[in-house]
Amino acid sequence: MLIELIQLFLIFFKIGLFTFGGGYAMIPLIRNEVVGAGYLSIVQVDQFIGIAESTPGPFAINIATFVGYNSFGVWGSILATLGVVLPSFIIIILIAIFSAKILKSKPVRYALSWINPLTLGLILSAGVSVVINAIFGNMEGLVALNTDYIALAIFGIVLLASLVFKKINPIMLIILSGILGFIGYTIF
């Protein structure tokens, strides 16, 4: 059990260390690592993403806590959460100590200029993947037309609402999605 807990900690430490741009940019790496290690299925990862999105707090911490708890209970949630937070904490402390020299160096400025487009690509990839998995089940479902019409209808209604009411609060869209999901999956 101790070895599995250390492995869980190291997986989330790696996720926290090698992803930039916040929790959404972590989704592809989280999906790859967690599914690859056998902690969750792709469907469960997408469900945990929905739960982590709709609960207060930082997305990365929420998803790490959920995965850790689901896999190894309270100790798993503690170690996964520490794993995802610790790299940022260490990096921020180091930057605070050496910030003037580090941020003025040419290689760091050059590296940071490439991070923004990469982060956008990771976020876009995660969004497309979650939408495809929610509506079609998975990429194989897309080919077999194993479509979840309720999820497709909810996506269409929420998209329409966001287009009609241009200044709608994202929290309202989350609440609308939850209500429609509850109604759609309870009735049908």
Side-chain angles (χ1 to χ4, degrees):
M1 173 85 163
L2 180 62
I3 293 173
E4 290 89 2
L5 285 170
I6 292 170
Q7 180 184 7
L8 178 71
F9 171 82
L10 291 175
I11 284 173
F12 278 97
F13 188 86
K14 180 171 66 171
I15 290 168
L17 185 62
F18 292 113
T19 52
F20 295 91
Y24 296 121
M26 293 179 171
I27 291 174
L29 188 56
I30 289 171
R31 179 178 283 125
N32 186 43
E33 292 295 323
V34 170
V35 172
Y39 295 129
L40 300 174
S41 68
I42 291 175
V43 172
Q44 288 175 311
V45 170
D46 290 339
Q47 291 170 346
F48 277 40
I49 289 169
I51 293 169
E53 266 303 302
S54 58
T55 54
F59 172 79
I61 293 173
N62 290 347
I63 196 89
T65 304
F66 290 142
V67 171
Y69 187 81
N70 187 65
S71 301
F72 298 104
V74 173
W75 284 109
S77 66
I78 291 169
L79 289 174
T81 303
L82 280 175
V84 81
V85 170
L86 203 55
S88 298
F89 183 72
I90 293 169
I91 290 169
I92 288 171
I93 287 176
L94 291 174
I95 287 175
I97 294 170
F98 304 107
S99 66
K101 289 183 181 179
I102 291 174
L103 293 176
K104 289 181 182 177
S105 74
K106 196 171 188 173
V108 170
R109 285 187 300 163
Y110 181 74
L112 290 174
S113 73
W114 282 90
I115 289 176
N116 286 339
L118 292 174
T119 302
L120 180 64
L122 286 171
I123 292 170
L124 183 62
S125 166
V128 168
S129 174
V130 168
V131 168
I132 287 174
N133 284 335
I135 294 174
F136 298 107
N138 55 34
M139 288 306 289
E140 290 81 30
L142 182 62
V143 174
L145 293 178
N146 186 14
T147 306
D148 182 350
Y149 292 106
I150 296 172
L152 184 60
I154 292 170
F155 177 73
I157 292 169
V158 171
L159 180 63
L160 181 65
S162 66
L163 292 173
V164 171
F165 305 104
K166 294 190 189 293
K167 294 191 180 206
I168 192 167
N169 189 320
I171 293 172
M172 295 306 294
L173 292 175
I174 293 170
I175 292 171
L176 176 64
S177 298
I179 291 170
L180 291 173
F182 178 76
I183 292 169
Y185 288 104
T186 301
I187 294 173
F188 302 106

PDB file of all heavy atoms in Angstrom, residues 41-74:
ATOM      1  N   SER A  41     -11.056   4.941 -15.204  1.00  0.00           N
ATOM      2  CA  SER A  41     -11.301   4.783 -16.637  1.00  0.00           C
ATOM      3  C   SER A  41     -11.445   6.176 -17.256  1.00  0.00           C
ATOM      4  O   SER A  41     -11.569   7.170 -16.529  1.00  0.00           O
ATOM      5  CB  SER A  41     -12.570   3.969 -16.876  1.00  0.00           C
ATOM      6  OG  SER A  41     -13.703   4.718 -16.459  1.00  0.00           O
ATOM      7  N   ILE A  42     -11.465   6.265 -18.567  1.00  0.00           N
ATOM      8  CA  ILE A  42     -11.630   7.555 -19.236  1.00  0.00           C
ATOM      9  C   ILE A  42     -12.970   8.181 -18.859  1.00  0.00           C
ATOM     10  O   ILE A  42     -13.061   9.381 -18.611  1.00  0.00           O
ATOM     11  CB  ILE A  42     -11.509   7.393 -20.768  1.00  0.00           C
ATOM     12  CG1 ILE A  42     -10.071   7.041 -21.136  1.00  0.00           C
ATOM     13  CG2 ILE A  42     -11.939   8.660 -21.484  1.00  0.00           C
ATOM     14  CD1 ILE A  42      -9.847   6.748 -22.598  1.00  0.00           C
ATOM     15  N   VAL A  43     -14.011   7.369 -18.780  1.00  0.00           N
ATOM     16  CA  VAL A  43     -15.334   7.877 -18.411  1.00  0.00           C
ATOM     17  C   VAL A  43     -15.294   8.440 -16.991  1.00  0.00           C
ATOM     18  O   VAL A  43     -15.835   9.522 -16.729  1.00  0.00           O
ATOM     19  CB  VAL A  43     -16.394   6.758 -18.531  1.00  0.00           C
ATOM     20  CG1 VAL A  43     -17.729   7.201 -17.964  1.00  0.00           C
ATOM     21  CG2 VAL A  43     -16.540   6.320 -19.980  1.00  0.00           C
ATOM     22  N   GLN A  44     -14.642   7.732 -16.069  1.00  0.00           N
ATOM     23  CA  GLN A  44     -14.547   8.223 -14.701  1.00  0.00           C
ATOM     24  C   GLN A  44     -13.755   9.531 -14.632  1.00  0.00           C
ATOM     25  O   GLN A  44     -14.108  10.427 -13.875  1.00  0.00           O
ATOM     26  CB  GLN A  44     -13.883   7.185 -13.798  1.00  0.00           C
ATOM     27  CG  GLN A  44     -14.760   5.990 -13.499  1.00  0.00           C
ATOM     28  CD  GLN A  44     -14.007   4.941 -12.716  1.00  0.00           C
ATOM     29  OE1 GLN A  44     -12.897   4.562 -13.073  1.00  0.00           O
ATOM     30  NE2 GLN A  44     -14.623   4.466 -11.639  1.00  0.00           N
ATOM     31  N   VAL A  45     -12.683   9.642 -15.426  1.00  0.00           N
ATOM     32  CA  VAL A  45     -11.906  10.883 -15.451  1.00  0.00           C
ATOM     33  C   VAL A  45     -12.799  12.036 -15.886  1.00  0.00           C
ATOM     34  O   VAL A  45     -12.797  13.110 -15.270  1.00  0.00           O
ATOM     35  CB  VAL A  45     -10.668  10.773 -16.374  1.00  0.00           C
ATOM     36  CG1 VAL A  45     -10.012  12.123 -16.571  1.00  0.00           C
ATOM     37  CG2 VAL A  45      -9.665   9.782 -15.810  1.00  0.00           C
ATOM     38  N   ASP A  46     -13.587  11.827 -16.931  1.00  0.00           N
ATOM     39  CA  ASP A  46     -14.488  12.888 -17.399  1.00  0.00           C
ATOM     40  C   ASP A  46     -15.541  13.229 -16.344  1.00  0.00           C
ATOM     41  O   ASP A  46     -15.897  14.395 -16.174  1.00  0.00           O
ATOM     42  CB  ASP A  46     -15.150  12.484 -18.715  1.00  0.00           C
ATOM     43  CG  ASP A  46     -14.164  12.476 -19.865  1.00  0.00           C
ATOM     44  OD1 ASP A  46     -13.120  13.139 -19.749  1.00  0.00           O
ATOM     45  OD2 ASP A  46     -14.442  11.819 -20.884  1.00  0.00           O
ATOM     46  N   GLN A  47     -16.034  12.228 -15.632  1.00  0.00           N
ATOM     47  CA  GLN A  47     -16.985  12.500 -14.554  1.00  0.00           C
ATOM     48  C   GLN A  47     -16.314  13.289 -13.436  1.00  0.00           C
ATOM     49  O   GLN A  47     -16.896  14.226 -12.894  1.00  0.00           O
ATOM     50  CB  GLN A  47     -17.560  11.189 -14.008  1.00  0.00           C
ATOM     51  CG  GLN A  47     -18.476  10.496 -14.986  1.00  0.00           C
ATOM     52  CD  GLN A  47     -18.846   9.093 -14.543  1.00  0.00           C
ATOM     53  OE1 GLN A  47     -18.235   8.511 -13.646  1.00  0.00           O
ATOM     54  NE2 GLN A  47     -19.859   8.527 -15.204  1.00  0.00           N
ATOM     55  N   PHE A  48     -15.081  12.930 -13.094  1.00  0.00           N
ATOM     56  CA  PHE A  48     -14.349  13.659 -12.056  1.00  0.00           C
ATOM     57  C   PHE A  48     -14.050  15.084 -12.500  1.00  0.00           C
ATOM     58  O   PHE A  48     -14.035  15.994 -11.675  1.00  0.00           O
ATOM     59  CB  PHE A  48     -13.056  12.927 -11.708  1.00  0.00           C
ATOM     60  CG  PHE A  48     -13.243  11.813 -10.709  1.00  0.00           C
ATOM     61  CD1 PHE A  48     -14.346  10.978 -10.761  1.00  0.00           C
ATOM     62  CD2 PHE A  48     -12.308  11.594  -9.720  1.00  0.00           C
ATOM     63  CE1 PHE A  48     -14.513   9.955  -9.849  1.00  0.00           C
ATOM     64  CE2 PHE A  48     -12.463  10.573  -8.804  1.00  0.00           C
ATOM     65  CZ  PHE A  48     -13.572   9.752  -8.870  1.00  0.00           C
ATOM     66  N   ILE A  49     -13.817  15.290 -13.788  1.00  0.00           N
ATOM     67  CA  ILE A  49     -13.596  16.648 -14.301  1.00  0.00           C
ATOM     68  C   ILE A  49     -14.855  17.481 -14.065  1.00  0.00           C
ATOM     69  O   ILE A  49     -14.782  18.618 -13.617  1.00  0.00           O
ATOM     70  CB  ILE A  49     -13.211  16.622 -15.792  1.00  0.00           C
ATOM     71  CG1 ILE A  49     -11.797  16.068 -15.965  1.00  0.00           C
ATOM     72  CG2 ILE A  49     -13.310  18.017 -16.416  1.00  0.00           C
ATOM     73  CD1 ILE A  49     -11.418  15.758 -17.402  1.00  0.00           C
ATOM     74  N   GLY A  50     -16.024  16.908 -14.348  1.00  0.00           N
ATOM     75  CA  GLY A  50     -17.281  17.612 -14.106  1.00  0.00           C
ATOM     76  C   GLY A  50     -17.487  17.931 -12.637  1.00  0.00           C
ATOM     77  O   GLY A  50     -17.914  19.031 -12.279  1.00  0.00           O
ATOM     78  N   ILE A  51     -17.156  16.986 -11.776  1.00  0.00           N
ATOM     79  CA  ILE A  51     -17.296  17.218 -10.337  1.00  0.00           C
ATOM     80  C   ILE A  51     -16.314  18.288  -9.881  1.00  0.00           C
ATOM     81  O   ILE A  51     -16.675  19.211  -9.142  1.00  0.00           O
ATOM     82  CB  ILE A  51     -17.087  15.905  -9.549  1.00  0.00           C
ATOM     83  CG1 ILE A  51     -18.214  14.926  -9.840  1.00  0.00           C
ATOM     84  CG2 ILE A  51     -16.993  16.184  -8.051  1.00  0.00           C
ATOM     85  CD1 ILE A  51     -17.959  13.527  -9.335  1.00  0.00           C
ATOM     86  N   ALA A  52     -15.061  18.185 -10.329  1.00  0.00           N
ATOM     87  CA  ALA A  52     -14.034  19.158  -9.925  1.00  0.00           C
ATOM     88  C   ALA A  52     -14.376  20.554 -10.416  1.00  0.00           C
ATOM     89  O   ALA A  52     -14.061  21.545  -9.760  1.00  0.00           O
ATOM     90  CB  ALA A  52     -12.674  18.719 -10.445  1.00  0.00           C
ATOM     91  N   GLU A  53     -15.018  20.627 -11.584  1.00  0.00           N
ATOM     92  CA  GLU A  53     -15.432  21.924 -12.133  1.00  0.00           C
ATOM     93  C   GLU A  53     -16.541  22.566 -11.323  1.00  0.00           C
ATOM     94  O   GLU A  53     -16.598  23.778 -11.186  1.00  0.00           O
ATOM     95  CB  GLU A  53     -15.953  21.737 -13.567  1.00  0.00           C
ATOM     96  CG  GLU A  53     -14.943  21.944 -14.619  1.00  0.00           C
ATOM     97  CD  GLU A  53     -14.325  23.301 -14.540  1.00  0.00           C
ATOM     98  OE1 GLU A  53     -15.013  24.325 -14.610  1.00  0.00           O
ATOM     99  OE2 GLU A  53     -13.115  23.332 -14.376  1.00  0.00           O
ATOM    100  N   SER A  54     -17.443  21.769 -10.818  1.00  0.00           N
ATOM    101  CA  SER A  54     -18.623  22.327 -10.170  1.00  0.00           C
ATOM    102  C   SER A  54     -18.465  22.496  -8.664  1.00  0.00           C
ATOM    103  O   SER A  54     -19.391  22.933  -8.001  1.00  0.00           O
ATOM    104  CB  SER A  54     -19.850  21.466 -10.475  1.00  0.00           C
ATOM    105  OG  SER A  54     -19.631  20.144 -10.054  1.00  0.00           O
ATOM    106  N   THR A  55     -17.316  22.141  -8.127  1.00  0.00           N
ATOM    107  CA  THR A  55     -17.071  22.353  -6.706  1.00  0.00           C
ATOM    108  C   THR A  55     -16.121  23.524  -6.514  1.00  0.00           C
ATOM    109  O   THR A  55     -15.289  23.795  -7.375  1.00  0.00           O
ATOM    110  CB  THR A  55     -16.467  21.092  -6.046  1.00  0.00           C
ATOM    111  OG1 THR A  55     -15.304  20.699  -6.770  1.00  0.00           O
ATOM    112  CG2 THR A  55     -17.457  19.962  -6.018  1.00  0.00           C
ATOM    113  N   PRO A  56     -16.240  24.231  -5.400  1.00  0.00           N
ATOM    114  CA  PRO A  56     -15.366  25.386  -5.176  1.00  0.00           C
ATOM    115  C   PRO A  56     -13.913  24.961  -5.008  1.00  0.00           C
ATOM    116  O   PRO A  56     -13.631  23.875  -4.528  1.00  0.00           O
ATOM    117  CB  PRO A  56     -15.885  25.987  -3.869  1.00  0.00           C
ATOM    118  CG  PRO A  56     -17.138  25.284  -3.538  1.00  0.00           C
ATOM    119  CD  PRO A  56     -17.209  24.040  -4.345  1.00  0.00           C
ATOM    120  N   GLY A  57     -13.029  25.821  -5.409  1.00  0.00           N
ATOM    121  CA  GLY A  57     -11.603  25.574  -5.235  1.00  0.00           C
ATOM    122  C   GLY A  57     -10.904  25.367  -6.553  1.00  0.00           C
ATOM    123  O   GLY A  57     -11.542  25.218  -7.603  1.00  0.00           O
ATOM    124  N   PRO A  58      -9.585  25.357  -6.506  1.00  0.00           N
ATOM    125  CA  PRO A  58      -8.806  25.161  -7.734  1.00  0.00           C
ATOM    126  C   PRO A  58      -9.054  23.789  -8.341  1.00  0.00           C
ATOM    127  O   PRO A  58      -9.089  22.778  -7.641  1.00  0.00           O
ATOM    128  CB  PRO A  58      -7.352  25.294  -7.269  1.00  0.00           C
ATOM    129  CG  PRO A  58      -7.424  26.001  -5.963  1.00  0.00           C
ATOM    130  CD  PRO A  58      -8.742  25.642  -5.358  1.00  0.00           C
ATOM    131  N   PHE A  59      -9.198  23.772  -9.645  1.00  0.00           N
ATOM    132  CA  PHE A  59      -9.524  22.554 -10.379  1.00  0.00           C
ATOM    133  C   PHE A  59      -8.495  21.450 -10.131  1.00  0.00           C
ATOM    134  O   PHE A  59      -8.856  20.308  -9.862  1.00  0.00           O
ATOM    135  CB  PHE A  59      -9.611  22.876 -11.878  1.00  0.00           C
ATOM    136  CG  PHE A  59      -9.749  21.674 -12.746  1.00  0.00           C
ATOM    137  CD1 PHE A  59     -10.963  21.050 -12.877  1.00  0.00           C
ATOM    138  CD2 PHE A  59      -8.654  21.152 -13.409  1.00  0.00           C
ATOM    139  CE1 PHE A  59     -11.100  19.929 -13.660  1.00  0.00           C
ATOM    140  CE2 PHE A  59      -8.777  20.034 -14.197  1.00  0.00           C
ATOM    141  CZ  PHE A  59     -10.008  19.414 -14.325  1.00  0.00           C
ATOM    142  N   ALA A  60      -7.208  21.782 -10.241  1.00  0.00           N
ATOM    143  CA  ALA A  60      -6.160  20.756 -10.114  1.00  0.00           C
ATOM    144  C   ALA A  60      -6.191  20.109  -8.729  1.00  0.00           C
ATOM    145  O   ALA A  60      -6.013  18.899  -8.600  1.00  0.00           O
ATOM    146  CB  ALA A  60      -4.791  21.367 -10.385  1.00  0.00           C
ATOM    147  N   ILE A  61      -6.419  20.913  -7.703  1.00  0.00           N
ATOM    148  CA  ILE A  61      -6.474  20.370  -6.344  1.00  0.00           C
ATOM    149  C   ILE A  61      -7.715  19.492  -6.191  1.00  0.00           C
ATOM    150  O   ILE A  61      -7.642  18.401  -5.618  1.00  0.00           O
ATOM    151  CB  ILE A  61      -6.463  21.514  -5.307  1.00  0.00           C
ATOM    152  CG1 ILE A  61      -5.106  22.214  -5.350  1.00  0.00           C
ATOM    153  CG2 ILE A  61      -6.765  20.989  -3.907  1.00  0.00           C
ATOM    154  CD1 ILE A  61      -5.027  23.457  -4.511  1.00  0.00           C
ATOM    155  N   ASN A  62      -8.839  19.943  -6.716  1.00  0.00           N
ATOM    156  CA  ASN A  62     -10.066  19.145  -6.624  1.00  0.00           C
ATOM    157  C   ASN A  62      -9.904  17.795  -7.309  1.00  0.00           C
ATOM    158  O   ASN A  62     -10.276  16.759  -6.753  1.00  0.00           O
ATOM    159  CB  ASN A  62     -11.243  19.898  -7.242  1.00  0.00           C
ATOM    160  CG  ASN A  62     -11.678  21.086  -6.417  1.00  0.00           C
ATOM    161  OD1 ASN A  62     -11.287  21.240  -5.272  1.00  0.00           O
ATOM    162  ND2 ASN A  62     -12.487  21.940  -7.011  1.00  0.00           N
ATOM    163  N   ILE A  63      -9.374  17.794  -8.519  1.00  0.00           N
ATOM    164  CA  ILE A  63      -9.256  16.528  -9.259  1.00  0.00           C
ATOM    165  C   ILE A  63      -8.258  15.599  -8.580  1.00  0.00           C
ATOM    166  O   ILE A  63      -8.487  14.394  -8.473  1.00  0.00           O
ATOM    167  CB  ILE A  63      -8.930  16.765 -10.757  1.00  0.00           C
ATOM    168  CG1 ILE A  63      -9.189  15.492 -11.583  1.00  0.00           C
ATOM    169  CG2 ILE A  63      -7.518  17.183 -10.983  1.00  0.00           C
ATOM    170  CD1 ILE A  63     -10.563  15.369 -12.092  1.00  0.00           C
ATOM    171  N   ALA A  64      -7.148  16.158  -8.072  1.00  0.00           N
ATOM    172  CA  ALA A  64      -6.168  15.322  -7.363  1.00  0.00           C
ATOM    173  C   ALA A  64      -6.793  14.720  -6.108  1.00  0.00           C
ATOM    174  O   ALA A  64      -6.608  13.526  -5.823  1.00  0.00           O
ATOM    175  CB  ALA A  64      -4.934  16.153  -7.002  1.00  0.00           C
ATOM    176  N   THR A  65      -7.536  15.514  -5.387  1.00  0.00           N
ATOM    177  CA  THR A  65      -8.187  15.031  -4.161  1.00  0.00           C
ATOM    178  C   THR A  65      -9.199  13.942  -4.478  1.00  0.00           C
ATOM    179  O   THR A  65      -9.238  12.900  -3.813  1.00  0.00           O
ATOM    180  CB  THR A  65      -8.878  16.197  -3.424  1.00  0.00           C
ATOM    181  OG1 THR A  65      -7.910  17.217  -3.176  1.00  0.00           O
ATOM    182  CG2 THR A  65      -9.470  15.746  -2.116  1.00  0.00           C
ATOM    183  N   PHE A  66     -10.014  14.143  -5.517  1.00  0.00           N
ATOM    184  CA  PHE A  66     -11.013  13.141  -5.897  1.00  0.00           C
ATOM    185  C   PHE A  66     -10.361  11.832  -6.340  1.00  0.00           C
ATOM    186  O   PHE A  66     -10.780  10.753  -5.923  1.00  0.00           O
ATOM    187  CB  PHE A  66     -11.913  13.665  -7.016  1.00  0.00           C
ATOM    188  CG  PHE A  66     -12.847  14.753  -6.586  1.00  0.00           C
ATOM    189  CD1 PHE A  66     -13.112  15.818  -7.431  1.00  0.00           C
ATOM    190  CD2 PHE A  66     -13.472  14.742  -5.358  1.00  0.00           C
ATOM    191  CE1 PHE A  66     -13.967  16.839  -7.058  1.00  0.00           C
ATOM    192  CE2 PHE A  66     -14.332  15.749  -4.962  1.00  0.00           C
ATOM    193  CZ  PHE A  66     -14.580  16.799  -5.821  1.00  0.00           C
ATOM    194  N   VAL A  67      -9.341  11.937  -7.192  1.00  0.00           N
ATOM    195  CA  VAL A  67      -8.674  10.723  -7.684  1.00  0.00           C
ATOM    196  C   VAL A  67      -7.993   9.994  -6.534  1.00  0.00           C
ATOM    197  O   VAL A  67      -8.091   8.772  -6.410  1.00  0.00           O
ATOM    198  CB  VAL A  67      -7.658  11.063  -8.800  1.00  0.00           C
ATOM    199  CG1 VAL A  67      -6.808   9.849  -9.149  1.00  0.00           C
ATOM    200  CG2 VAL A  67      -8.380  11.574 -10.037  1.00  0.00           C
ATOM    201  N   GLY A  68      -7.297  10.750  -5.680  1.00  0.00           N
ATOM    202  CA  GLY A  68      -6.618  10.133  -4.540  1.00  0.00           C
ATOM    203  C   GLY A  68      -7.586   9.433  -3.604  1.00  0.00           C
ATOM    204  O   GLY A  68      -7.347   8.303  -3.163  1.00  0.00           O
ATOM    205  N   TYR A  69      -8.703  10.103  -3.299  1.00  0.00           N
ATOM    206  CA  TYR A  69      -9.686   9.505  -2.397  1.00  0.00           C
ATOM    207  C   TYR A  69     -10.338   8.278  -3.028  1.00  0.00           C
ATOM    208  O   TYR A  69     -10.536   7.261  -2.355  1.00  0.00           O
ATOM    209  CB  TYR A  69     -10.756  10.525  -1.997  1.00  0.00           C
ATOM    210  CG  TYR A  69     -11.680   9.997  -0.937  1.00  0.00           C
ATOM    211  CD1 TYR A  69     -11.300  10.007   0.395  1.00  0.00           C
ATOM    212  CD2 TYR A  69     -12.917   9.450  -1.269  1.00  0.00           C
ATOM    213  CE1 TYR A  69     -12.130   9.500   1.387  1.00  0.00           C
ATOM    214  CE2 TYR A  69     -13.752   8.943  -0.289  1.00  0.00           C
ATOM    215  CZ  TYR A  69     -13.357   8.964   1.033  1.00  0.00           C
ATOM    216  OH  TYR A  69     -14.177   8.451   1.994  1.00  0.00           O
ATOM    217  N   ASN A  70     -10.664   8.371  -4.307  1.00  0.00           N
ATOM    218  CA  ASN A  70     -11.293   7.246  -5.000  1.00  0.00           C
ATOM    219  C   ASN A  70     -10.359   6.036  -5.044  1.00  0.00           C
ATOM    220  O   ASN A  70     -10.823   4.904  -4.971  1.00  0.00           O
ATOM    221  CB  ASN A  70     -11.688   7.654  -6.419  1.00  0.00           C
ATOM    222  CG  ASN A  70     -12.497   6.579  -7.110  1.00  0.00           C
ATOM    223  OD1 ASN A  70     -13.595   6.262  -6.704  1.00  0.00           O
ATOM    224  ND2 ASN A  70     -11.938   6.024  -8.170  1.00  0.00           N
ATOM    225  N   SER A  71      -9.065   6.281  -5.137  1.00  0.00           N
ATOM    226  CA  SER A  71      -8.110   5.187  -5.278  1.00  0.00           C
ATOM    227  C   SER A  71      -7.641   4.622  -3.941  1.00  0.00           C
ATOM    228  O   SER A  71      -7.508   3.406  -3.793  1.00  0.00           O
ATOM    229  CB  SER A  71      -6.892   5.659  -6.076  1.00  0.00           C
ATOM    230  OG  SER A  71      -7.297   6.114  -7.342  1.00  0.00           O
ATOM    231  N   PHE A  72      -7.361   5.502  -2.961  1.00  0.00           N
ATOM    232  CA  PHE A  72      -6.755   5.042  -1.710  1.00  0.00           C
ATOM    233  C   PHE A  72      -7.327   5.706  -0.462  1.00  0.00           C
ATOM    234  O   PHE A  72      -6.668   5.753   0.568  1.00  0.00           O
ATOM    235  CB  PHE A  72      -5.239   5.275  -1.746  1.00  0.00           C
ATOM    236  CG  PHE A  72      -4.539   4.521  -2.824  1.00  0.00           C
ATOM    237  CD1 PHE A  72      -4.106   5.173  -3.966  1.00  0.00           C
ATOM    238  CD2 PHE A  72      -4.334   3.160  -2.725  1.00  0.00           C
ATOM    239  CE1 PHE A  72      -3.471   4.490  -4.975  1.00  0.00           C
ATOM    240  CE2 PHE A  72      -3.698   2.465  -3.727  1.00  0.00           C
ATOM    241  CZ  PHE A  72      -3.267   3.124  -4.860  1.00  0.00           C
ATOM    242  N   GLY A  73      -8.508   6.265  -0.539  1.00  0.00           N
ATOM    243  CA  GLY A  73      -9.130   6.850   0.640  1.00  0.00           C
ATOM    244  C   GLY A  73      -8.484   8.171   1.059  1.00  0.00           C
ATOM    245  O   GLY A  73      -7.939   8.901   0.238  1.00  0.00           O
ATOM    246  N   VAL A  74      -8.543   8.451   2.348  1.00  0.00           N
ATOM    247  CA  VAL A  74      -8.081   9.738   2.869  1.00  0.00           C
ATOM    248  C   VAL A  74      -6.581   9.943   2.602  1.00  0.00           C
ATOM    249  O   VAL A  74      -6.170  11.026   2.178  1.00  0.00           O
ATOM    250  CB  VAL A  74      -8.377   9.846   4.392  1.00  0.00           C
ATOM    251  CG1 VAL A  74      -7.750  11.081   4.987  1.00  0.00           C
ATOM    252  CG2 VAL A  74      -9.871   9.842   4.628  1.00  0.00           C
TER     253      VAL A  74
END
